[in-house]
Amino acid sequence: TYDESQKEAIKQALKMNLALIHGPPGTGKSFVGSKIAEIILRNQTLLNKKFDTPIIVICYTNSALDQFLEHMMLITDNIFTIGRRSKSIRFPEFYPRQTIEKPKTL
């Protein structure tokens, strides 16, 4: 379930081209961000629109990014990451080997 500030963040983010979610640790920022991305991806057909623009996520900590990506893996395999500091063993295939690769298209 969502608290009122999380509901408001989701509503506002879905109205904008760019959304910034911020707050103290443990307030559900990664959860809310992954829900926003999920809503966008799952509703492409309802919106009669295929999103060819990437969803870019920047997290303050690697663990927050891991949490976000673990949720997104349930929705899509179209994930590209830069960096290798993940502690999760669940998605090493999304990390580039030596150079930055072009992201897959949706």
Side-chain angles (χ1 to χ4, degrees), residues 2-13:
Y2 307 100
D3 66 27
E4 288 306 312
S5 65
Q6 291 171 327
K7 289 178 190 175
E8 186 62 24
I10 291 169
K11 279 182 9 184
Q12 292 301 316

Side-chain angles (χ1 to χ4, degrees), residues 5-104:
S5 65
Q6 291 171 327
K7 289 178 190 175
E8 186 62 24
I10 291 169
K11 279 182 9 184
Q12 292 301 316
L14 293 172
K15 295 178 186 178
M16 306 291 185
N17 289 327
L18 173 68
L20 301 174
I21 310 284
H22 65 90
T27 55
K29 297 174 296 295
S30 299
F31 175 71
V32 167
S34 64
K35 287 299 178 183
I36 293 165
E38 177 182 354
I39 290 166
I40 291 169
L41 293 173
R42 290 197 188 272
N43 287 288
Q44 291 181 85
T45 54
L46 291 174
L47 299 170
N48 284 331
K49 186 174 183 181
K50 184 79 172 164
F51 291 93
D52 57 358
T53 302
I55 297 171
I56 300 172
V57 177
I58 301 170
C59 296
Y60 185 69
T61 65
N62 292 321
S63 61
L65 183 59
D66 286 351
Q67 181 183 357
F68 181 90
L69 291 175
E70 286 174 3
H71 180 79
M72 295 312 300
M73 283 178 54
L74 303 172
I75 298 152
T76 183
D77 62 355
N78 191 1
I79 296 172
F80 177 80
T81 60
I82 298 173
R84 296 189 191 174
R85 293 191 177 159
S86 171
K87 292 192 174 27
S88 176
I89 59 170
R90 297 181 72 182
F91 43 81
E93 68 271 18
F94 298 122
Y95 287 90
R97 299 269 185 256
Q98 299 263 337
T99 59
I100 298 173
E101 302 166 357
K102 289 184 179 178
K104 301 175 194 173

